[in-house]
Amino acid sequence: MLFKIKIEDINDIDWNYFWKEGLKEKGNLGVNKNWDKAAEPYEKLNAKDDYTDKLINNLILDKSDSLLDIGAGEGSVSIPLSEKVKNITAVDSSKKMIELFDKRIREKSINNIETIEMDISDINLDSIGHKDIVLASRSINSFPEMEDLLINLNEIANKYVFITFFGPNNWRMEKEFYNFIDKNYTDHPSYVLLLNLLEQIGIYANVINLDVGPVRTYDDIDEAMVNGKWKLDNYSDKEKGQLHEFLSKTLQVDSKTKKLFNPLDKPDWVLIWWKKEDQMEI
Ligand SMILES: C[S@@+](CC[C@H](N)C(=O)[O-])C[C@H]1O[C@@H](n2cnc3c(N)ncnc32)[C@H](O)[C@@H]1O
């Protein structure tokens, strides 16, 4: 149903409330993914992805900059960035991610990155101090208290804030499958809510679609079931059979590598960024 409200009431919409309601509907409110468990597979999957290059090409950086990387993971973004800025403070709440990150720092003899085990909700000007650049890459998609966080990140930044969020096509393949089995699919709350929220707190942000390339290829359908994005534990035996049928219809053969791939299986990431001075006085 589409709501019609008076135009003067738009400014009274509590966008943070709708963000949290969206997370609740999706089943992600207050659910902390086990990043310790996901750390090693994440590192492997990341290596095949052109996300990092696409992101870095869109950042505005100077060799003299200090940079805060929030939810830095195993350093997939911070490590290549360490050559482009003066120093990096990398924060993550997962012990395992920090361990992997520290190992990579040692192996590569990098000396301008400091890793800190800390939760995003504890990040503010008092705990971190000012940094030229603030970056949150793929790490705050399910963070509930977005208004407080965005205000804190903006306070910390001297120059720019860069954040990436899921784009609307990130789950196109899953949605098609749900459609195929006549099941209702609940979307993740849209980044557009956050653009409205940012405007409400006086920040006019820019949006870029990063157009990340497809990542996953498979030898056969069984591998596509196990190594794809599918959460097989959530599916009944009947649904697993339907998934097999769906994949046999949708997977295509790459003419060069002869591997299977799904053209709908494309990560969709949106970069939202703003310059510190581009803010309205409110
Ligand atoms: C998808 S990974 C992104 C890693 C890296 N920034 C990248 O783009 O490859 C998400 C990271 O955010 C971290 N994270 C998620 N919620 C967090 C929280 N509340 N506090 C600190 N780190 C968090 C996870 O531990 C994980 O390492």
Side-chain angles (χ1 to χ4, degrees):
M1 184 173 67
L2 293 177
F3 288 104
K4 293 194 171 68
I5 58 167
K6 284 193 198 138
I7 200 82
E8 65 263 27
D9 292 338
I10 283 181
N11 289 337
D12 294 332
I13 293 176
D14 182 347
W15 297 108
N16 198 56
Y17 166 83
F18 284 108
W19 175 255
K20 278 165 72 170
E21 282 298 297
L23 289 177
K24 200 195 281 176
E25 225 165 86
K26 182 71 189 159
N28 283 355
L29 188 66
V31 176
N32 294 324
K33 178 167 170 167
N34 187 341
W35 281 106
D36 281 345
K37 200 170 153 211
E40 277 177 28
Y42 183 80
E43 189 181 24
K44 288 196 187 98
L45 186 63
N46 239 347
K48 300 181 189 164
D49 196 325
D50 68 351
Y51 166 88
T52 310
D53 291 340
K54 292 271 169 74
L55 170 65
I56 292 179
N57 286 342
N58 281 288
L59 302 180
I60 304 166
L61 303 171
D62 190 275
K63 214 45 187 120
S64 63
D65 284 338
S66 55
L67 184 144
L68 172 66
D69 186 0
I70 289 167
E74 26 62 85
S76 52
V77 179
S78 271
I79 287 177
L81 281 184
S82 63
E83 292 176 2
K84 298 183 180 291
V85 296
K86 189 171 171 205
N87 58 56
I88 296 179
T89 307
V91 174
D92 203 286
S93 56
S94 157
K95 207 180 214 27
K96 185 73 192 169
M97 285 286 194
I98 295 277
E99 268 171 33
L100 288 172
F101 197 155
D102 286 341
K103 185 165 162 261
R104 294 175 78 189
I105 292 175
R106 281 195 305 276
E107 282 167 1
K108 291 174 188 289
S109 306
I110 295 171
N111 55 19
N112 63 345
I113 301 180
E114 179 196 16
T115 57
I116 304 177
E117 195 183 319
M118 185 193 259
D119 197 274
I120 288 172
S121 48
D122 294 325
I123 291 179
N124 54 49
L125 189 55
D126 286 344
S127 61
I128 295 290
H130 280 293
K131 302 288 171 192
D132 294 319
I133 310 290
V134 173
L135 170 68
S137 162
R138 304 188 281 198
S139 55
I140 62 172
N141 272 303
S142 296
F143 192 79
E145 300 306 333
M146 203 51 99
E147 182 168 356
D148 290 347
L149 178 62
L150 293 172
I151 290 170
N152 281 330
L153 301 191
N154 187 54
E155 270 177 13
I156 291 169
N158 288 328
K159 292 162 90 174
Y160 295 100
V161 179
F162 296 96
I163 307 175
T164 57
F165 290 102
F166 292 138
N169 287 331
N170 205 53
W171 304 274
R172 234 165 75 188
M173 182 178 61
E174 291 89 327
K175 279 190 209 166
E176 292 270 333
F177 173 55
Y178 272 55
N179 199 17
F180 181 71
I181 62 173
D182 234 359
K183 201 171 165 180
N184 191 31
Y185 187 86
T186 308
D187 264 315
H188 194 86
S190 167
Y191 70 90
V192 175
L193 292 176
L194 301 176
L195 289 177
N196 286 318
L197 172 55
L198 281 165
E199 196 212 17
Q200 211 164 44
I201 59 178
I203 296 169
Y204 282 134
N206 306 283
V207 186
I208 295 173
N209 188 315
L210 289 180
D211 191 25
V212 181
V215 267
R216 297 177 181 85
T217 58
Y218 314 100
D219 288 331
D220 52 40
I221 294 178
D222 288 334
E223 196 206 334
M225 293 208 31
V226 177
N227 290 348
K229 275 168 115 180
W230 313 102
K231 294 181 181 159
L232 293 181
D233 290 350
N234 296 346
Y235 294 163
S236 65
D237 285 344
K238 183 177 169 211
E239 286 169 344
K240 283 180 196 162
Q242 289 170 313
L243 177 60
H244 200 281
E245 192 191 339
F246 172 77
L247 292 174
S248 68
K249 289 195 161 100
T250 54
L251 287 173
Q252 298 183 7
V253 183
D254 184 291
S255 57
K256 279 196 196 125
T257 63
K258 305 294 173 220
K259 291 251 192 186
L260 296 176
F261 72 101
N262 192 325
L264 297 178
D265 183 15
K266 216 165 129 4
D268 185 18
W269 289 96
V270 167
L271 173 64
I272 294 184
W273 69 275
W274 66 93
K275 191 174 175 186
K276 189 68 182 282
E277 294 93 77
D278 286 350
Q279 293 169 48
M280 293 187 295
E281 285 299 319
I282 47 167

